[in-house]
PDB file of all heavy atoms in Angstrom:
ATOM      1  N   ASP A 124      74.735 -42.131  11.703  1.00  0.00           N
ATOM      2  CA  ASP A 124      75.954 -42.794  11.249  1.00  0.00           C
ATOM      3  C   ASP A 124      75.956 -44.227  11.772  1.00  0.00           C
ATOM      4  O   ASP A 124      77.003 -44.781  12.148  1.00  0.00           O
ATOM      5  CB  ASP A 124      77.177 -42.006  11.665  1.00  0.00           C
ATOM      6  CG  ASP A 124      78.421 -42.467  10.935  1.00  0.00           C
ATOM      7  OD1 ASP A 124      78.304 -43.136   9.891  1.00  0.00           O
ATOM      8  OD2 ASP A 124      79.546 -42.188  11.416  1.00  0.00           O
ATOM      9  N   GLY A 126      75.520 -46.981  10.184  1.00  0.00           N
ATOM     10  CA  GLY A 126      76.215 -47.960   9.329  1.00  0.00           C
ATOM     11  C   GLY A 126      77.671 -48.091   9.755  1.00  0.00           C
ATOM     12  O   GLY A 126      78.277 -49.150   9.568  1.00  0.00           O
ATOM     13  N   ALA A 127      78.232 -47.031  10.345  1.00  0.00           N
ATOM     14  CA  ALA A 127      79.593 -47.107  10.849  1.00  0.00           C
ATOM     15  C   ALA A 127      79.654 -47.779  12.184  1.00  0.00           C
ATOM     16  O   ALA A 127      80.403 -48.711  12.416  1.00  0.00           O
ATOM     17  CB  ALA A 127      80.205 -45.696  10.921  1.00  0.00           C
ATOM     18  N   THR A 128      78.816 -47.301  13.091  1.00  0.00           N
ATOM     19  CA  THR A 128      78.654 -48.011  14.370  1.00  0.00           C
ATOM     20  C   THR A 128      77.364 -47.533  15.020  1.00  0.00           C
ATOM     21  O   THR A 128      76.968 -46.394  14.816  1.00  0.00           O
ATOM     22  CB  THR A 128      79.854 -47.821  15.316  1.00  0.00           C
ATOM     23  OG1 THR A 128      79.841 -48.892  16.289  1.00  0.00           O
ATOM     24  CG2 THR A 128      79.835 -46.492  16.060  1.00  0.00           C
ATOM     25  N   ARG A 188      87.190 -60.432  16.232  1.00  0.00           N
ATOM     26  CA  ARG A 188      87.182 -59.023  16.628  1.00  0.00           C
ATOM     27  C   ARG A 188      86.090 -58.289  15.850  1.00  0.00           C
ATOM     28  O   ARG A 188      85.771 -57.150  16.210  1.00  0.00           O
ATOM     29  CB  ARG A 188      88.528 -58.384  16.348  1.00  0.00           C
ATOM     30  CG  ARG A 188      89.568 -58.739  17.424  1.00  0.00           C
ATOM     31  CD  ARG A 188      90.840 -57.948  17.212  1.00  0.00           C
ATOM     32  NE  ARG A 188      91.508 -58.335  15.985  1.00  0.00           N
ATOM     33  CZ  ARG A 188      92.032 -57.501  15.113  1.00  0.00           C
ATOM     34  NH1 ARG A 188      91.941 -56.202  15.276  1.00  0.00           N
ATOM     35  NH2 ARG A 188      92.644 -57.948  14.000  1.00  0.00           N
ATOM     36  N   GLY A 189      85.648 -58.836  14.777  1.00  0.00           N
ATOM     37  CA  GLY A 189      84.626 -58.157  13.947  1.00  0.00           C
ATOM     38  C   GLY A 189      84.544 -58.734  12.593  1.00  0.00           C
ATOM     39  O   GLY A 189      85.264 -59.701  12.258  1.00  0.00           O
ATOM     40  N   THR A 190      83.780 -58.118  11.725  1.00  0.00           N
ATOM     41  CA  THR A 190      83.619 -58.632  10.355  1.00  0.00           C
ATOM     42  C   THR A 190      84.954 -58.761   9.647  1.00  0.00           C
ATOM     43  O   THR A 190      85.205 -59.738   8.984  1.00  0.00           O
ATOM     44  CB  THR A 190      82.732 -57.645   9.568  1.00  0.00           C
ATOM     45  OG1 THR A 190      81.525 -57.335  10.304  1.00  0.00           O
ATOM     46  CG2 THR A 190      82.333 -58.197   8.206  1.00  0.00           C
ATOM     47  N   THR A 191      85.766 -57.761   9.814  1.00  0.00           N
ATOM     48  CA  THR A 191      87.053 -57.742   9.104  1.00  0.00           C
ATOM     49  C   THR A 191      87.869 -58.981   9.467  1.00  0.00           C
ATOM     50  O   THR A 191      88.371 -59.674   8.612  1.00  0.00           O
ATOM     51  CB  THR A 191      87.864 -56.450   9.473  1.00  0.00           C
ATOM     52  OG1 THR A 191      87.064 -55.353   9.087  1.00  0.00           O
ATOM     53  CG2 THR A 191      89.188 -56.401   8.738  1.00  0.00           C
ATOM     54  N   GLU A 192      87.959 -59.248  10.784  1.00  0.00           N
ATOM     55  CA  GLU A 192      88.731 -60.430  11.158  1.00  0.00           C
ATOM     56  C   GLU A 192      88.076 -61.704  10.732  1.00  0.00           C
ATOM     57  O   GLU A 192      88.729 -62.684  10.334  1.00  0.00           O
ATOM     58  CB  GLU A 192      88.998 -60.456  12.704  1.00  0.00           C
ATOM     59  CG  GLU A 192      89.986 -61.593  13.039  1.00  0.00           C
ATOM     60  CD  GLU A 192      90.354 -61.702  14.494  1.00  0.00           C
ATOM     61  OE1 GLU A 192      89.458 -61.515  15.333  1.00  0.00           O
ATOM     62  OE2 GLU A 192      91.482 -62.048  14.753  1.00  0.00           O
ATOM     63  N   SER A 193      86.728 -61.721  10.736  1.00  0.00           N
ATOM     64  CA  SER A 193      86.031 -62.939  10.305  1.00  0.00           C
ATOM     65  C   SER A 193      86.331 -63.256   8.872  1.00  0.00           C
ATOM     66  O   SER A 193      86.586 -64.420   8.494  1.00  0.00           O
ATOM     67  CB  SER A 193      84.510 -62.709  10.483  1.00  0.00           C
ATOM     68  OG  SER A 193      84.182 -62.531  11.843  1.00  0.00           O
ATOM     69  N   ILE A 194      86.343 -62.223   8.039  1.00  0.00           N
ATOM     70  CA  ILE A 194      86.646 -62.454   6.625  1.00  0.00           C
ATOM     71  C   ILE A 194      88.083 -62.889   6.453  1.00  0.00           C
ATOM     72  O   ILE A 194      88.410 -63.807   5.688  1.00  0.00           O
ATOM     73  CB  ILE A 194      86.324 -61.174   5.793  1.00  0.00           C
ATOM     74  CG1 ILE A 194      84.817 -60.930   5.819  1.00  0.00           C
ATOM     75  CG2 ILE A 194      86.820 -61.380   4.327  1.00  0.00           C
ATOM     76  CD1 ILE A 194      84.408 -59.603   5.171  1.00  0.00           C
ATOM     77  N   MET A 217      80.540 -53.934  -5.289  1.00  0.00           N
ATOM     78  CA  MET A 217      80.018 -53.122  -4.171  1.00  0.00           C
ATOM     79  C   MET A 217      80.599 -53.525  -2.849  1.00  0.00           C
ATOM     80  O   MET A 217      80.124 -53.137  -1.782  1.00  0.00           O
ATOM     81  CB  MET A 217      78.498 -53.151  -4.154  1.00  0.00           C
ATOM     82  CG  MET A 217      77.921 -54.471  -3.823  1.00  0.00           C
ATOM     83  SD  MET A 217      76.112 -54.398  -3.543  1.00  0.00           S
ATOM     84  CE  MET A 217      75.445 -54.427  -5.173  1.00  0.00           C
ATOM     85  N   GLU A 218      81.671 -54.378  -2.830  1.00  0.00           N
ATOM     86  CA  GLU A 218      82.152 -54.814  -1.518  1.00  0.00           C
ATOM     87  C   GLU A 218      82.904 -53.740  -0.786  1.00  0.00           C
ATOM     88  O   GLU A 218      83.537 -52.839  -1.372  1.00  0.00           O
ATOM     89  CB  GLU A 218      83.130 -56.022  -1.737  1.00  0.00           C
ATOM     90  CG  GLU A 218      82.538 -57.216  -2.377  1.00  0.00           C
ATOM     91  CD  GLU A 218      81.248 -57.711  -1.702  1.00  0.00           C
ATOM     92  OE1 GLU A 218      81.211 -57.845  -0.465  1.00  0.00           O
ATOM     93  OE2 GLU A 218      80.241 -57.879  -2.434  1.00  0.00           O
ATOM     94  N   HIS A 219      82.833 -53.838   0.516  1.00  0.00           N
ATOM     95  CA  HIS A 219      83.641 -53.034   1.449  1.00  0.00           C
ATOM     96  C   HIS A 219      85.083 -53.523   1.293  1.00  0.00           C
ATOM     97  O   HIS A 219      85.330 -54.661   1.010  1.00  0.00           O
ATOM     98  CB  HIS A 219      83.111 -53.304   2.889  1.00  0.00           C
ATOM     99  CG  HIS A 219      83.746 -52.455   3.956  1.00  0.00           C
ATOM    100  ND1 HIS A 219      84.953 -52.783   4.563  1.00  0.00           N
ATOM    101  CD2 HIS A 219      83.292 -51.344   4.573  1.00  0.00           C
ATOM    102  CE1 HIS A 219      85.226 -51.875   5.505  1.00  0.00           C
ATOM    103  NE2 HIS A 219      84.243 -50.990   5.516  1.00  0.00           N
ATOM    104  N   HIS A 220      86.040 -52.592   1.548  1.00  0.00           N
ATOM    105  CA  HIS A 220      87.499 -52.968   1.416  1.00  0.00           C
ATOM    106  C   HIS A 220      87.822 -54.262   2.181  1.00  0.00           C
ATOM    107  O   HIS A 220      88.649 -55.000   1.816  1.00  0.00           O
ATOM    108  CB  HIS A 220      88.368 -51.887   1.915  1.00  0.00           C
ATOM    109  CG  HIS A 220      88.305 -50.673   1.009  1.00  0.00           C
ATOM    110  ND1 HIS A 220      88.794 -49.425   1.423  1.00  0.00           N
ATOM    111  CD2 HIS A 220      87.775 -50.507  -0.239  1.00  0.00           C
ATOM    112  CE1 HIS A 220      88.590 -48.540   0.425  1.00  0.00           C
ATOM    113  NE2 HIS A 220      87.965 -49.164  -0.575  1.00  0.00           N
ATOM    114  N   SER A 221      87.083 -54.509   3.269  1.00  0.00           N
ATOM    115  CA  SER A 221      87.435 -55.669   4.109  1.00  0.00           C
ATOM    116  C   SER A 221      86.968 -56.982   3.407  1.00  0.00           C
ATOM    117  O   SER A 221      87.365 -58.051   3.861  1.00  0.00           O
ATOM    118  CB  SER A 221      86.842 -55.579   5.513  1.00  0.00           C
ATOM    119  OG  SER A 221      85.450 -55.525   5.440  1.00  0.00           O
ATOM    120  N   ASN A 222      86.215 -56.860   2.363  1.00  0.00           N
ATOM    121  CA  ASN A 222      85.935 -58.088   1.550  1.00  0.00           C
ATOM    122  C   ASN A 222      86.599 -58.023   0.175  1.00  0.00           C
ATOM    123  O   ASN A 222      86.160 -58.698  -0.759  1.00  0.00           O
ATOM    124  CB  ASN A 222      84.386 -58.290   1.401  1.00  0.00           C
ATOM    125  CG  ASN A 222      84.064 -59.723   1.060  1.00  0.00           C
ATOM    126  OD1 ASN A 222      84.822 -60.654   1.283  1.00  0.00           O
ATOM    127  ND2 ASN A 222      82.865 -59.933   0.485  1.00  0.00           N
ATOM    128  N   ALA A 267      78.607 -59.124  -0.060  1.00  0.00           N
ATOM    129  CA  ALA A 267      77.916 -58.378   1.036  1.00  0.00           C
ATOM    130  C   ALA A 267      76.399 -58.724   0.962  1.00  0.00           C
ATOM    131  O   ALA A 267      75.825 -58.756  -0.137  1.00  0.00           O
ATOM    132  CB  ALA A 267      78.104 -56.884   0.830  1.00  0.00           C
ATOM    133  N   HIS A 268      75.812 -58.909   2.141  1.00  0.00           N
ATOM    134  CA  HIS A 268      74.380 -59.118   2.176  1.00  0.00           C
ATOM    135  C   HIS A 268      73.660 -57.798   1.849  1.00  0.00           C
ATOM    136  O   HIS A 268      72.793 -57.760   1.005  1.00  0.00           O
ATOM    137  CB  HIS A 268      73.979 -59.578   3.604  1.00  0.00           C
ATOM    138  CG  HIS A 268      72.624 -60.176   3.724  1.00  0.00           C
ATOM    139  ND1 HIS A 268      72.248 -61.022   4.742  1.00  0.00           N
ATOM    140  CD2 HIS A 268      71.563 -60.135   2.905  1.00  0.00           C
ATOM    141  CE1 HIS A 268      71.010 -61.382   4.547  1.00  0.00           C
ATOM    142  NE2 HIS A 268      70.559 -60.850   3.464  1.00  0.00           N
ATOM    143  N   ILE A 269      74.092 -56.722   2.512  1.00  0.00           N
ATOM    144  CA  ILE A 269      73.589 -55.371   2.170  1.00  0.00           C
ATOM    145  C   ILE A 269      74.805 -54.476   1.954  1.00  0.00           C
ATOM    146  O   ILE A 269      75.770 -54.452   2.734  1.00  0.00           O
ATOM    147  CB  ILE A 269      72.741 -54.799   3.366  1.00  0.00           C
ATOM    148  CG1 ILE A 269      71.448 -55.647   3.559  1.00  0.00           C
ATOM    149  CG2 ILE A 269      72.381 -53.328   3.088  1.00  0.00           C
ATOM    150  CD1 ILE A 269      70.560 -55.100   4.644  1.00  0.00           C
ATOM    151  N   SER A 270      74.793 -53.676   0.866  1.00  0.00           N
ATOM    152  CA  SER A 270      75.831 -52.751   0.548  1.00  0.00           C
ATOM    153  C   SER A 270      75.864 -51.616   1.576  1.00  0.00           C
ATOM    154  O   SER A 270      74.833 -50.983   1.785  1.00  0.00           O
ATOM    155  CB  SER A 270      75.678 -52.221  -0.849  1.00  0.00           C
ATOM    156  OG  SER A 270      76.411 -50.983  -0.984  1.00  0.00           O
ATOM    157  N   ASN A 271      77.033 -51.261   2.075  1.00  0.00           N
ATOM    158  CA  ASN A 271      77.125 -50.158   3.046  1.00  0.00           C
ATOM    159  C   ASN A 271      77.052 -48.817   2.382  1.00  0.00           C
ATOM    160  O   ASN A 271      76.977 -47.782   3.066  1.00  0.00           O
ATOM    161  CB  ASN A 271      78.399 -50.291   3.892  1.00  0.00           C
ATOM    162  CG  ASN A 271      79.675 -49.995   3.079  1.00  0.00           C
ATOM    163  OD1 ASN A 271      79.782 -50.448   1.930  1.00  0.00           O
ATOM    164  ND2 ASN A 271      80.603 -49.329   3.642  1.00  0.00           N
ATOM    165  N   VAL A 272      77.091 -48.780   1.046  1.00  0.00           N
ATOM    166  CA  VAL A 272      76.991 -47.510   0.343  1.00  0.00           C
ATOM    167  C   VAL A 272      75.640 -47.358  -0.333  1.00  0.00           C
ATOM    168  O   VAL A 272      75.009 -46.295  -0.298  1.00  0.00           O
ATOM    169  CB  VAL A 272      78.094 -47.386  -0.720  1.00  0.00           C
ATOM    170  CG1 VAL A 272      77.923 -46.114  -1.548  1.00  0.00           C
ATOM    171  CG2 VAL A 272      79.464 -47.486  -0.082  1.00  0.00           C
ATOM    172  N   ASP A 296      79.043 -61.375   3.814  1.00  0.00           N
ATOM    173  CA  ASP A 296      79.476 -60.287   4.739  1.00  0.00           C
ATOM    174  C   ASP A 296      78.170 -59.660   5.199  1.00  0.00           C
ATOM    175  O   ASP A 296      77.547 -58.849   4.497  1.00  0.00           O
ATOM    176  CB  ASP A 296      80.347 -59.331   3.923  1.00  0.00           C
ATOM    177  CG  ASP A 296      80.620 -58.009   4.721  1.00  0.00           C
ATOM    178  OD1 ASP A 296      80.006 -57.851   5.791  1.00  0.00           O
ATOM    179  OD2 ASP A 296      81.387 -57.219   4.196  1.00  0.00           O
ATOM    180  N   GLY A 297      77.782 -59.985   6.445  1.00  0.00           N
ATOM    181  CA  GLY A 297      76.550 -59.519   6.948  1.00  0.00           C
ATOM    182  C   GLY A 297      76.632 -58.263   7.804  1.00  0.00           C
ATOM    183  O   GLY A 297      75.695 -57.958   8.575  1.00  0.00           O
ATOM    184  N   ALA A 298      77.752 -57.532   7.682  1.00  0.00           N
ATOM    185  CA  ALA A 298      77.993 -56.371   8.582  1.00  0.00           C
ATOM    186  C   ALA A 298      76.788 -55.382   8.609  1.00  0.00           C
ATOM    187  O   ALA A 298      76.479 -54.819   9.624  1.00  0.00           O
ATOM    188  CB  ALA A 298      79.265 -55.651   8.190  1.00  0.00           C
ATOM    189  N   GLN A 299      76.173 -55.184   7.425  1.00  0.00           N
ATOM    190  CA  GLN A 299      75.095 -54.202   7.358  1.00  0.00           C
ATOM    191  C   GLN A 299      73.727 -54.825   7.380  1.00  0.00           C
ATOM    192  O   GLN A 299      72.688 -54.163   7.209  1.00  0.00           O
ATOM    193  CB  GLN A 299      75.228 -53.354   6.069  1.00  0.00           C
ATOM    194  CG  GLN A 299      76.479 -52.517   6.013  1.00  0.00           C
ATOM    195  CD  GLN A 299      76.545 -51.407   7.024  1.00  0.00           C
ATOM    196  OE1 GLN A 299      75.537 -51.000   7.632  1.00  0.00           O
ATOM    197  NE2 GLN A 299      77.733 -50.894   7.325  1.00  0.00           N
ATOM    198  N   PHE A 318      79.881 -61.008  10.742  1.00  0.00           N
ATOM    199  CA  PHE A 318      79.280 -59.722  11.194  1.00  0.00           C
ATOM    200  C   PHE A 318      80.026 -59.178  12.412  1.00  0.00           C
ATOM    201  O   PHE A 318      80.822 -59.881  13.064  1.00  0.00           O
ATOM    202  CB  PHE A 318      77.780 -59.783  11.391  1.00  0.00           C
ATOM    203  CG  PHE A 318      77.320 -60.827  12.407  1.00  0.00           C
ATOM    204  CD1 PHE A 318      77.070 -60.491  13.758  1.00  0.00           C
ATOM    205  CD2 PHE A 318      77.063 -62.129  12.019  1.00  0.00           C
ATOM    206  CE1 PHE A 318      76.624 -61.405  14.658  1.00  0.00           C
ATOM    207  CE2 PHE A 318      76.624 -63.062  12.945  1.00  0.00           C
ATOM    208  CZ  PHE A 318      76.422 -62.719  14.245  1.00  0.00           C
ATOM    209  N   SER A 319      79.718 -57.922  12.730  1.00  0.00           N
ATOM    210  CA  SER A 319      80.360 -57.188  13.835  1.00  0.00           C
ATOM    211  C   SER A 319      79.379 -56.876  14.957  1.00  0.00           C
ATOM    212  O   SER A 319      78.252 -56.505  14.664  1.00  0.00           O
ATOM    213  CB  SER A 319      80.961 -55.841  13.382  1.00  0.00           C
ATOM    214  OG  SER A 319      81.893 -56.043  12.348  1.00  0.00           O
ATOM    215  N   GLY A 320      79.815 -57.024  16.188  1.00  0.00           N
ATOM    216  CA  GLY A 320      78.937 -56.622  17.291  1.00  0.00           C
ATOM    217  C   GLY A 320      78.594 -55.155  17.329  1.00  0.00           C
ATOM    218  O   GLY A 320      77.444 -54.788  17.552  1.00  0.00           O
ATOM    219  N   HIS A 321      79.567 -54.307  17.008  1.00  0.00           N
ATOM    220  CA  HIS A 321      79.344 -52.909  17.231  1.00  0.00           C
ATOM    221  C   HIS A 321      78.310 -52.254  16.302  1.00  0.00           C
ATOM    222  O   HIS A 321      77.863 -51.159  16.553  1.00  0.00           O
ATOM    223  CB  HIS A 321      80.661 -52.116  17.164  1.00  0.00           C
ATOM    224  CG  HIS A 321      81.253 -52.013  15.795  1.00  0.00           C
ATOM    225  ND1 HIS A 321      81.069 -50.954  15.012  1.00  0.00           N
ATOM    226  CD2 HIS A 321      81.994 -52.891  15.063  1.00  0.00           C
ATOM    227  CE1 HIS A 321      81.692 -51.125  13.833  1.00  0.00           C
ATOM    228  NE2 HIS A 321      82.261 -52.315  13.856  1.00  0.00           N
ATOM    229  N   LYS A 322      77.971 -52.960  15.224  1.00  0.00           N
ATOM    230  CA  LYS A 322      76.900 -52.428  14.365  1.00  0.00           C
ATOM    231  C   LYS A 322      75.517 -52.941  14.750  1.00  0.00           C
ATOM    232  O   LYS A 322      74.525 -52.641  14.121  1.00  0.00           O
ATOM    233  CB  LYS A 322      77.224 -52.788  12.911  1.00  0.00           C
ATOM    234  CG  LYS A 322      78.482 -52.133  12.340  1.00  0.00           C
ATOM    235  CD  LYS A 322      78.604 -52.365  10.885  1.00  0.00           C
ATOM    236  CE  LYS A 322      80.003 -52.241  10.333  1.00  0.00           C
ATOM    237  NZ  LYS A 322      80.496 -50.873  10.243  1.00  0.00           N
ATOM    238  N   ILE A 329      84.343 -57.059  19.109  1.00  0.00           N
ATOM    239  CA  ILE A 329      83.779 -58.451  19.095  1.00  0.00           C
ATOM    240  C   ILE A 329      83.010 -58.601  17.801  1.00  0.00           C
ATOM    241  O   ILE A 329      82.279 -57.706  17.379  1.00  0.00           O
ATOM    242  CB  ILE A 329      82.901 -58.686  20.326  1.00  0.00           C
ATOM    243  CG1 ILE A 329      82.625 -60.204  20.523  1.00  0.00           C
ATOM    244  CG2 ILE A 329      81.600 -57.945  20.330  1.00  0.00           C
ATOM    245  CD1 ILE A 329      83.812 -60.998  21.034  1.00  0.00           C
ATOM    246  N   ARG A 455      77.809 -39.711   7.612  1.00  0.00           N
ATOM    247  CA  ARG A 455      79.140 -40.077   7.140  1.00  0.00           C
ATOM    248  C   ARG A 455      79.351 -39.552   5.755  1.00  0.00           C
ATOM    249  O   ARG A 455      78.392 -39.552   4.937  1.00  0.00           O
ATOM    250  CB  ARG A 455      79.325 -41.587   7.193  1.00  0.00           C
ATOM    251  CG  ARG A 455      80.760 -41.998   6.853  1.00  0.00           C
ATOM    252  CD  ARG A 455      81.261 -43.092   7.706  1.00  0.00           C
ATOM    253  NE  ARG A 455      81.376 -42.701   9.123  1.00  0.00           N
ATOM    254  CZ  ARG A 455      82.476 -42.804   9.856  1.00  0.00           C
ATOM    255  NH1 ARG A 455      83.578 -43.251   9.301  1.00  0.00           N
ATOM    256  NH2 ARG A 455      82.489 -42.493  11.106  1.00  0.00           N
ATOM    257  N   HIS A 459      83.496 -44.452   2.062  1.00  0.00           N
ATOM    258  CA  HIS A 459      82.882 -45.496   2.869  1.00  0.00           C
ATOM    259  C   HIS A 459      83.629 -46.830   2.703  1.00  0.00           C
ATOM    260  O   HIS A 459      83.029 -47.904   2.732  1.00  0.00           O
ATOM    261  CB  HIS A 459      81.421 -45.692   2.497  1.00  0.00           C
ATOM    262  CG  HIS A 459      80.644 -44.425   2.458  1.00  0.00           C
ATOM    263  ND1 HIS A 459      80.432 -43.607   3.558  1.00  0.00           N
ATOM    264  CD2 HIS A 459      80.017 -43.781   1.407  1.00  0.00           C
ATOM    265  CE1 HIS A 459      79.734 -42.545   3.210  1.00  0.00           C
ATOM    266  NE2 HIS A 459      79.479 -42.604   1.902  1.00  0.00           N
ATOM    267  N   CYS A 460      84.955 -46.751   2.556  1.00  0.00           N
ATOM    268  CA  CYS A 460      85.749 -47.962   2.404  1.00  0.00           C
ATOM    269  C   CYS A 460      85.278 -48.829   1.223  1.00  0.00           C
ATOM    270  O   CYS A 460      85.204 -50.049   1.269  1.00  0.00           O
ATOM    271  CB  CYS A 460      85.798 -48.819   3.645  1.00  0.00           C
ATOM    272  SG  CYS A 460      86.609 -47.991   5.024  1.00  0.00           S
ATOM    273  N   ARG A 475      76.157 -40.099   3.484  1.00  0.00           N
ATOM    274  CA  ARG A 475      75.360 -41.245   3.830  1.00  0.00           C
ATOM    275  C   ARG A 475      74.661 -41.049   5.166  1.00  0.00           C
ATOM    276  O   ARG A 475      75.304 -40.811   6.166  1.00  0.00           O
ATOM    277  CB  ARG A 475      76.251 -42.509   3.892  1.00  0.00           C
ATOM    278  CG  ARG A 475      75.433 -43.795   4.160  1.00  0.00           C
ATOM    279  CD  ARG A 475      76.360 -44.968   4.420  1.00  0.00           C
ATOM    280  NE  ARG A 475      77.046 -44.833   5.684  1.00  0.00           N
ATOM    281  CZ  ARG A 475      77.947 -45.715   6.136  1.00  0.00           C
ATOM    282  NH1 ARG A 475      78.288 -46.780   5.420  1.00  0.00           N
ATOM    283  NH2 ARG A 475      78.484 -45.529   7.332  1.00  0.00           N
TER     284      ARG A 475
HETATM  285  N1  7TS B 834      81.651 -55.081   5.538  1.00  0.00           N
HETATM  286  C1  7TS B 834      80.722 -54.125   5.400  1.00  0.00           C
HETATM  287  C2  7TS B 834      79.625 -54.323   4.406  1.00  0.00           C
HETATM  288  C3  7TS B 834      80.822 -52.997   6.201  1.00  0.00           C
HETATM  289  O1  7TS B 834      79.881 -52.053   6.065  1.00  0.00           O
HETATM  290  C4  7TS B 834      81.879 -52.881   7.157  1.00  0.00           C
HETATM  291  C5  7TS B 834      82.048 -51.645   7.960  1.00  0.00           C
HETATM  292  C6  7TS B 834      82.772 -53.928   7.254  1.00  0.00           C
HETATM  293  C7  7TS B 834      82.629 -55.037   6.459  1.00  0.00           C
HETATM  294  C8  7TS B 834      83.854 -53.908   8.283  1.00  0.00           C
HETATM  295  O2  7TS B 834      83.382 -54.009   9.576  1.00  0.00           O
HETATM  296  P1  7TS B 834      84.337 -53.921  10.838  1.00  0.00           P
HETATM  297  O3  7TS B 834      83.397 -53.883  11.991  1.00  0.00           O
HETATM  298  O4  7TS B 834      85.179 -55.132  10.808  1.00  0.00           O
HETATM  299  O5  7TS B 834      85.086 -52.641  10.667  1.00  0.00           O
HETATM  300  N2  7TS B 834      81.474 -50.502   7.410  1.00  0.00           N
HETATM  301  C9  7TS B 834      81.694 -49.189   7.810  1.00  0.00           C
HETATM  302  C10 7TS B 834      81.000 -48.127   7.193  1.00  0.00           C
HETATM  303  O6  7TS B 834      80.214 -48.248   6.306  1.00  0.00           O
HETATM  304  N3  7TS B 834      81.416 -47.003   7.815  1.00  0.00           N
HETATM  305  O7  7TS B 834      82.299 -47.319   8.756  1.00  0.00           O
HETATM  306  C11 7TS B 834      82.481 -48.677   8.783  1.00  0.00           C
END
Side-chain angles (χ1 to χ4, degrees):
D124 194 17
T128 201
R188 284 188 292 136
T190 310
T191 302
E192 189 179 36
S193 298
I194 294 172
M217 67 171 82
E218 298 310 309
H219 186 277
H220 293 165
S221 62
N222 200 22
H268 196 161
I269 295 182
S270 159
N271 70 318
V272 177
D296 170 354
Q299 296 294 342
F318 58 95
S319 301
H321 71 96
K322 294 189 202 286
I329 195 76
R455 185 139 295 234
H459 313 296
C460 296
R475 183 188 70 182

